[in-house]
Amino acid sequence: MTEGVLKTGTTTIGIKCRDCVIMASDRRATMANQIAHSHVQKVYKIADNIGMTIAGLVGDAQLMVRYMQSEIALYEMKKGGKISANAAATLASDIIRQGFYLGLIIGGYDRTGGHVYSIDGAGGYIEDNVISTGSGSVYALGALEAGYRPDMTFEEGRDLVITALNSAIRRDNASGGGMIISVIDKNGMRFLSDEETRTRITELGFKYPY
């Protein structure tokens, strides 16, 4: 990567809770040592029941999102129903092998429950309960591993994700600018409002903005 390339730097998180999946990220984009943007979208809705986080080159990330949204729309029209989380992860692993410099998390909720997959740049994908990617992931994973339980409620999972993102943002200079938090459950995918996220961050005793 050259110094002039816009990168998301990034801490992205996906966790599986009792009745939902939570996907989240920071909001900073960097260009070498420069903070290029502080309000970057890194969590995307790619189907009604599927979300994706991105870490890596911004241009590749934007193209990947468009690919996934269009391919899933075609898949669902042909099949006449919602795509499963596993099928979405398989699709992403096939597409990323075309040369995208990205690390992805695919999360979704389908008839078998919640699922979270990590996808690397070579197309490998692995399902897990707790996943973090990006430059701040080493800091986030410490908090996630210490506090995670498979039977966590949405509220408990949300607070754990905020704690993990806060750890990464405080220690990784490529992560920052705030947080994006989403939840996927039987009703589909929704994003927490900025006000809702900001209020809970403050209630937990963390500073905002970053």
Side-chain angles (χ1 to χ4, degrees), residues 74-93:
L74 289 171
Y75 176 98
E76 293 184 339
M77 280 193 294
K78 291 177 181 178
K79 297 293 185 179
K82 292 182 179 180
I83 192 170
S84 69
N86 181 265
T90 302
L91 175 62
S93 72

Side-chain angles (χ1 to χ4, degrees), residues 59-210:
D60 281 2
Q62 293 171 340
L63 181 57
M64 185 70 176
V65 170
R66 293 195 293 271
Y67 260 120
M68 288 294 292
Q69 289 173 335
S70 60
E71 290 296 325
I72 288 175
L74 289 171
Y75 176 98
E76 293 184 339
M77 280 193 294
K78 291 177 181 178
K79 297 293 185 179
K82 292 182 179 180
I83 192 170
S84 69
N86 181 265
T90 302
L91 175 62
S93 72
D94 290 342
I95 294 174
I96 205 170
R97 287 178 62 85
Q98 299 177 30
F100 290 86
Y101 291 92
L102 298 170
L104 306 175
I105 302 174
I106 296 287
Y109 200 93
D110 55 34
R111 59 184 179 82
T112 62
H115 303 275
V116 183
Y117 297 86
S118 63
I119 301 172
D120 62 38
Y125 70 102
I126 298 173
E127 183 173 7
D128 208 340
N129 290 333
V130 177
I131 298 170
S132 183
T133 65
S135 55
S137 61
V138 63
Y139 306 108
L141 282 169
L144 290 169
E145 293 288 352
Y148 178 77
R149 303 189 323 275
D151 65 342
M152 297 181 82
T153 64
F154 160 69
E155 290 79 12
E156 291 170 331
R158 174 203 58 199
D159 290 353
L160 179 61
V161 163
I162 289 173
T163 301
L165 281 174
N166 179 73
S167 295
I169 287 169
R170 293 300 174 193
R171 294 293 179 178
D172 175 41
N173 63 8
S175 299
M179 301 180 186
I180 303 170
I181 301 174
S182 67
V183 57
I184 312 170
D185 58 21
K186 64 182 181 181
N187 297 314
M189 182 176 182
R190 74 174 182 90
F191 288 85
L192 276 63
S193 68
D194 287 341
E195 181 180 357
E196 186 177 357
T197 301
R198 190 184 297 253
T199 297
R200 191 56 187 158
I201 290 170
T202 303
E203 289 172 347
L204 290 171
F206 302 131
K207 294 181 180 179
Y208 192 99
Y210 300 98

Side-chain angles (χ1 to χ4, degrees), residues 8 11 38 43 58 129 147 153 175 204:
T8 59
T11 304
S38 295
V43 183
V58 171
N129 290 333
T153 64
S175 299
L204 290 171

